[in-house]
């Protein structure tokens, strides 16, 4: 099938008068190359042969700039409109020159979309037309498209939106695949018709099969001075290319209840859905970065008959609407409707039983990975329960436990988080602000640590030891080495206590002595963050080649005199003001009085002056914490 692309390049670009000078909009300079040339580059890359350019303003300039398409190996034809008649009007007017199937692209669009993949998708489902859809950061004042689970378009919602229910955040990006036969009927439409506003809604009303092709790829119009500046900056920063499906994307998988929103038990209606403070802004920050924001949630309410799939859709529409008010959007929402146990009145037997998608199973992560082309080892999972920590471990994701919702106290899986944050906003900051520096420090450390060694990471409470330990383990694993992280404080009677309280390190000394050239299994206690009571333990297998990373306040007090492996000591320091603030927050969370804290802290500081210089001196590396 010869592929044909229609480019709507008739626009004058009135809003870009200053930027364009005498050029038509399609020839706008985008980082040193005319916009239309960039579009033709893409057409050539995806094996199009025929391009039909519909021109009006500056027609001669466009013809001169692109010629017959020889430079691209394309055959370019031009149709000149003598009067404005809307985007669709122009295409419908040119139907005689069009193939049985063709793509349509607006001439003011900067994009890096895999045309072949979109065509294949269209041809698998064989609808009358396919439109590329994606979420945006201002859904409340956008024309929205509603699709069902089969991606069938069920409604177009132009502004103003209905007030009685929320709508999903999905907009028409202005890239289409059309069957020519389906457009023949549009010939009867009034002139000046626009695809998004008139033709597609009219087709839908007359029963046409339209599908929304959801994509994370970059596609934005450059129709106003600020949008033009944005696409140029996205091109030059490499953001456009990084959103291409040729590149696997990093993602932040986010749990829903207790992480994004309050968790009052189970949510069965939109009105019960309330965002936690800062969630919208946190997701917006992820949107502005290279990370995809993907919700992964267990919703057994569906199987138990407490909420229908329609009710769940309304709840997710509410979530998108609330996030949208803070300019945040989700690149995907994946949920498991199943539940293993029977015995609920009104339950749905077909959804009962074991499935592959209920966390901690990784079916939903796998589905998102395939559909969104995600690189799991660059990705994260943020959640409020050990179910997410276990899911993260199984999927090979870095985990962040937030202290909202269940705050990790569900006790379901004996998993320690790689990182711990106050809430989703702090998690976003860890990923975007702290991680790059932490990763650089870990990479530097990695060059100094030989395989099979024991790394002791010590320092004062709340100085960032466990973060550095997790980062080092991640970087080692990425480099093909295996690493095991354990918290020494877990073994002590009062974990996270002052460095100076007498503590019995013999169990840890024994552990270090036992780790040698054979596989050992160690039972590691886990402490509850808030109560400090021993809650759970887990079995940790340590293989001969594993790098064993022990972190904790008391780590550098270890003599490691019986060690059979090389021992590398790291001392972590942190800005005192930040450390004090973090420690105070810990105390307050545990119900201590702030007045009591001042006294404890001053005693601690005084004691530290005696011991710290020694630990610091004996360390092989001293690292300034990346935590702010
Ligand atoms: Zn499931």
């Amino acid at each position: 099938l010869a592929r044909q692309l229609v480019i709507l390049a008739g626009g004058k670009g009135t809003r870009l008068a200053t930027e364009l000078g005498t050029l038509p909009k399609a020839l706008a300079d985008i980082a040193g190359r005319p916009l239309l040339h960039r579009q033709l580059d893409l057409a050539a890359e995806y094996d199009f042969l025929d391009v039909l350019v519909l021109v009006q303003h500056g027609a001669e300039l466009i013809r001169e700039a692109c010629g017959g398409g020889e430079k691209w190996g394309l055959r370019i034809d031009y149709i000149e409109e003598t009067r404005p008649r809307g985007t669709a009007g122009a295409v419908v007017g040119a139907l005689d020159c069009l193939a049985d199937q063709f793509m349509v692209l607006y001439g003011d669009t900067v994009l890096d979309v895999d045309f072949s993949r979109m065509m294949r998708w269209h041809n698998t489902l064989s609808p009358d037309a396919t439109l590329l859809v994606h979420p945006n950061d201002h859904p409340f004042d956008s024309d929205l498209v509603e699709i069902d689970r089969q991606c069938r378009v069920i409604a177009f919602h132009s502004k103003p939106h209905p007030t009685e229910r929320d709508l999903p955040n999905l907009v028409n990006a202005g890239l289409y695949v059309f069957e020519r036969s389906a457009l023949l009927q549009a010939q009867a439409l009034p002139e000046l018709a626009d695809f998004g506003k008139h033709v597609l809604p009219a087709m839908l009303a007359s029963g046409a099969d339209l599908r929304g092709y959801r994509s994370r790829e970059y596609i934005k119009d450059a129709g106003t001075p600020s949008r033009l500046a944005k696409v140029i900056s996205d091109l030059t920063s490499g953001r456009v290319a990084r959103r291409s499906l040729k590149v696997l994307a990093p993602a932040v998988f986010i749990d829903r209840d207790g992480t994004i929103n309050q968790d009052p038990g189970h949510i069965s209606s939109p009105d019960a859905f309330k965002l936690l403070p800062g969630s919208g802004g946190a997701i917006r920050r992820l949107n502005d970065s290279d990370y995809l924001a993907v919700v992964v949630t267990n919703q057994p309410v569906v199987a138990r008959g407490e909420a229908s799939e329609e009710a769940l859709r309304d709840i997710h529409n509410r979530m998108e609407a609330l996030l949208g008010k803070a300019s945040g959007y989700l690149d995907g929402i994946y949920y498991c409707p199943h539940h293993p146990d029977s015995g609920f009145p009104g339950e749905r037997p077909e959804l009962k039983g074991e499935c592959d998608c209920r966390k901690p199973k990784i079916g939903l992560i796998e589905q998102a990975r395939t559909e969104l082309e995600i690189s799991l080892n660059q990705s994260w999972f943020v959640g409020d329960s050990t179910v997410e920590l276990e899911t993260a471990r199984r999927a090979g994701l870095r985990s962040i436990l937030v202290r909202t919702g269940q705050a990790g106290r569900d006790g379901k899986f004996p998993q320690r988080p790689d990182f711990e944050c106050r809430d989703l906003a702090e998690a976003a900051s860890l990923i975007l602000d702290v991680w790059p520096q932490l990763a650089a420090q870990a990479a530097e450390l990695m060059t100094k640590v030989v395989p099979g060694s024991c790394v002791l990471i010590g320092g004062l409470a709340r100085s960032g030891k466990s973060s550095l330990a997790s980062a080092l383990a991640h970087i080692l694993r990425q480099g093909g080495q295996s690493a095991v992280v354990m918290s020494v404080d877990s073994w002590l009677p009062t974990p996270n206590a002052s460095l100076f309280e007498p503590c019995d390190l013999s169990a840890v000394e024994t552990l270090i002595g036992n780790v040698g050239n054979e596989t050992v299994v160690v039972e590691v206690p886990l402490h509850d963050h808030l109560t400090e009571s021993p809650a759970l333990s887990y079995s940790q297998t340590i293989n001969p080649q594993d790098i064993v990373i022990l972190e904790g306040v008391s780590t550098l007090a270890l003599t490691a005199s019986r060690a059979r492996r090389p021992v590398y000591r790291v001392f972590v320091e942190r800005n005192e003001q930040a450390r004090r603030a973090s420690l105070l927050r810990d105390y307050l969370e545990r119900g201590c009085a702030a007045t009591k804290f001042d006294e404890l802290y001053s005693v601690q500081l005084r004691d530290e002056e005696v011991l710290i210089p020694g630990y610091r001196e004996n360390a092989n590396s001293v690292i300034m914490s990346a935590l702010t």
Side-chain angles (χ1 to χ4, degrees), residues 320-530:
E320 289 197 292
L322 292 174
L323 293 173
K325 283 184 186 161
S327 302
Y329 60 85
L330 297 167
D331 295 286
I333 301 173
Y334 293 85
Y335 67 87
C336 162
H338 307 106
H339 192 253
D341 308 323
S342 297
F344 295 83
E347 69 186 14
R348 290 170 56 187
E350 77 277 17
L351 295 175
K352 285 289 173 178
E354 289 295 320
C355 64
D356 293 325
C357 53
R358 182 172 163 82
K359 294 180 290 184
K361 290 189 177 152
I362 63 166
L364 297 176
I365 304 268
E366 279 300 318
Q367 192 189 343
R369 183 182 69 81
T370 312
E371 290 179 359
L372 298 170
E373 303 282 356
I374 289 169
S375 157
L376 294 184
N377 66 20
Q378 292 181 68
S379 299
W380 304 74
F381 203 151
V382 185
D384 70 317
S385 83
T386 60
V387 177
E388 282 84 47
L389 305 182
E390 175 67 10
T391 314
R393 186 192 64 79
R394 294 186 191 183
L397 302 163
R398 283 160 286 176
S399 63
I400 300 177
L401 178 71
V402 286
R403 291 196 299 273
T404 48
Q406 304 190 65
R409 275 168 290 166
D410 55 295
K412 285 185 184 142
F413 295 92
Q415 275 303 321
R416 69 183 285 283
D418 293 325
F419 303 91
E420 226 182 288
C421 290
R422 185 170 56 234
D423 54 18
L424 187 57
E426 197 179 82
S429 171
L430 174 83
I431 293 167
L432 300 175
D433 307 327
V434 178
W435 173 256
Q437 202 192 335
L438 206 49
Q441 291 176 339
E444 166 79 18
L445 255 186
M446 179 173 143
T447 63
K448 298 172 180 168
V449 175
V450 291
S453 56
C454 224
V455 181
L456 305 180
I457 300 181
L460 300 172
R462 310 309 299 161
S463 57
K465 301 175 296 298
S466 76
S467 297
L468 182 66
S470 294
L472 178 60
H474 178 78
I475 296 293
L476 284 167
R477 286 174 196 137
Q478 283 208 318
Q481 302 198 51
S482 52
V484 162
V485 180
M486 288 177 286
S487 171
V488 167
D489 299 341
S490 302
W491 275 280
L492 306 180
T494 51
N496 281 328
S498 156
L499 185 57
F500 313 97
E501 286 176 23
C503 54
D504 179 13
L505 288 170
S506 59
V508 189
E509 296 282 11
T510 307
L511 164 72
I512 294 175
N514 285 345
V515 174
N517 294 327
E518 60 292 316
T519 297
V520 292
V521 179
V522 184
E523 199 61 18
V524 185
L526 273 173
H527 283 279
D528 182 277
H529 178 83
L530 294 175

Side-chain angles (χ1 to χ4, degrees), residues 215-409:
S215 173
R216 68 160 169 87
E217 295 161 293
Y218 192 95
I219 172 164
K220 268 191 179 29
D221 82 81
T224 67
S226 64
R227 289 185 205 154
L228 178 66
K230 173 77 177 136
V231 297
I232 290 171
S233 111
D234 287 344
L235 255 174
T236 49
S237 72
R239 181 175 170 87
V240 175
R242 287 195 300 274
R243 276 289 161 131
S244 152
L245 293 173
K246 286 175 229 150
V247 185
L248 295 180
V252 179
F253 295 99
I254 311 170
D255 169 53
R256 201 191 81 180
D257 303 332
T259 304
I260 290 178
N261 54 286
Q262 295 172 14
D263 183 4
H266 292 301
I267 295 176
S268 52
S269 79
D271 289 338
F273 187 97
K274 313 273 184 219
L275 285 184
L276 284 164
S279 290
I283 288 169
R284 185 188 59 225
R285 286 208 63 198
L286 296 175
N287 299 151
D288 289 341
S289 77
D290 286 339
Y291 285 99
L292 302 177
V294 180
V295 164
V296 174
T297 176
N298 286 347
Q299 290 302 326
V301 284
V302 181
R304 290 202 297 249
E306 292 158 16
S308 64
E309 257 137 343
E310 291 68 38
L312 190 58
R313 184 200 61 202
D314 290 344
I315 292 165
H316 289 164
N317 289 352
R318 174 67 57 91
M319 170 165 66
E320 289 197 292
L322 292 174
L323 293 173
K325 283 184 186 161
S327 302
Y329 60 85
L330 297 167
D331 295 286
I333 301 173
Y334 293 85
Y335 67 87
C336 162
H338 307 106
H339 192 253
D341 308 323
S342 297
F344 295 83
E347 69 186 14
R348 290 170 56 187
E350 77 277 17
L351 295 175
K352 285 289 173 178
E354 289 295 320
C355 64
D356 293 325
C357 53
R358 182 172 163 82
K359 294 180 290 184
K361 290 189 177 152
I362 63 166
L364 297 176
I365 304 268
E366 279 300 318
Q367 192 189 343
R369 183 182 69 81
T370 312
E371 290 179 359
L372 298 170
E373 303 282 356
I374 289 169
S375 157
L376 294 184
N377 66 20
Q378 292 181 68
S379 299
W380 304 74
F381 203 151
V382 185
D384 70 317
S385 83
T386 60
V387 177
E388 282 84 47
L389 305 182
E390 175 67 10
T391 314
R393 186 192 64 79
R394 294 186 191 183
L397 302 163
R398 283 160 286 176
S399 63
I400 300 177
L401 178 71
V402 286
R403 291 196 299 273
T404 48
Q406 304 190 65
R409 275 168 290 166

Side-chain angles (χ1 to χ4, degrees), residues 9-272:
K12 187 176 181 183
T14 313
R15 289 177 293 179
L16 293 174
T18 313
E19 290 76 5
L20 290 170
T22 56
L23 293 174
K25 191 157 60 163
L27 294 182
D29 179 84
I30 307 286
R33 193 157 171 77
L35 208 170
L36 187 54
H37 284 194
R38 293 184 177 276
Q39 297 183 334
L40 294 170
D41 294 343
L42 207 60
E45 183 182 345
Y46 290 106
D47 304 326
F48 279 74
L49 291 175
D50 285 324
V51 178
L52 187 64
V53 184
L54 304 184
V55 290
Q56 187 183 8
H57 295 286
E60 269 319 302
L61 291 171
I62 291 175
R63 275 204 178 92
E64 273 171 39
C66 305
E70 300 81 4
K71 268 188 270 181
W72 290 270
L74 298 166
R75 199 188 74 204
I76 302 179
D77 292 306
Y78 301 87
I79 292 185
E80 189 165 345
E81 291 284 300
T82 48
R83 61 212 157 91
R85 51 174 180 174
T87 54
V91 173
V92 171
L95 272 184
D96 289 346
C97 310
L98 295 173
D100 287 343
Q101 183 185 79
F102 53 91
M103 262 185 131
V104 175
L105 170 62
Y106 289 86
D108 63 355
T109 307
V110 172
L111 76 169
D112 191 348
V113 170
D114 183 338
F115 289 158
S116 300
R117 190 178 190 266
M118 184 170 171
M119 295 282 264
R120 272 200 309 277
W121 191 88
H122 174 88
N123 286 323
T124 305
L125 297 169
S126 300
D128 294 310
T130 291
L131 46 151
L132 192 147
V133 292
H134 58 194
N136 78 4
D137 61 3
H138 52 99
F140 46 86
D141 64 358
S142 300
D143 290 336
L144 300 171
V145 182
E146 192 170 5
I147 60 176
D148 67 11
R149 303 266 287 168
Q150 283 71 46
C151 301
R152 205 184 296 270
V153 175
I154 51 175
F156 290 99
H157 301 280
S158 51
K159 297 165 284 183
H161 298 154
T163 49
E164 68 280 6
R165 71 177 184 106
D166 298 296
L167 298 172
N169 180 356
L170 220 45
V171 304
N172 174 358
L175 179 65
Y176 311 111
V177 184
F178 279 107
E179 294 297 319
R180 183 173 177 273
S181 56
L183 269 186
L184 284 170
Q185 58 169 315
Q187 280 177 313
L189 286 171
E191 292 205 347
L192 279 170
D194 176 84
F195 277 114
K197 287 193 192 327
H198 312 106
V199 177
L200 292 169
M203 287 174 77
L204 186 65
S206 68
D209 180 2
L210 309 179
R211 303 285 175 136
Y213 173 71
R214 206 185 155 117
S215 173
R216 68 160 169 87
E217 295 161 293
Y218 192 95
I219 172 164
K220 268 191 179 29
D221 82 81
T224 67
S226 64
R227 289 185 205 154
L228 178 66
K230 173 77 177 136
V231 297
I232 290 171
S233 111
D234 287 344
L235 255 174
T236 49
S237 72
R239 181 175 170 87
V240 175
R242 287 195 300 274
R243 276 289 161 131
S244 152
L245 293 173
K246 286 175 229 150
V247 185
L248 295 180
V252 179
F253 295 99
I254 311 170
D255 169 53
R256 201 191 81 180
D257 303 332
T259 304
I260 290 178
N261 54 286
Q262 295 172 14
D263 183 4
H266 292 301
I267 295 176
S268 52
S269 79
D271 289 338

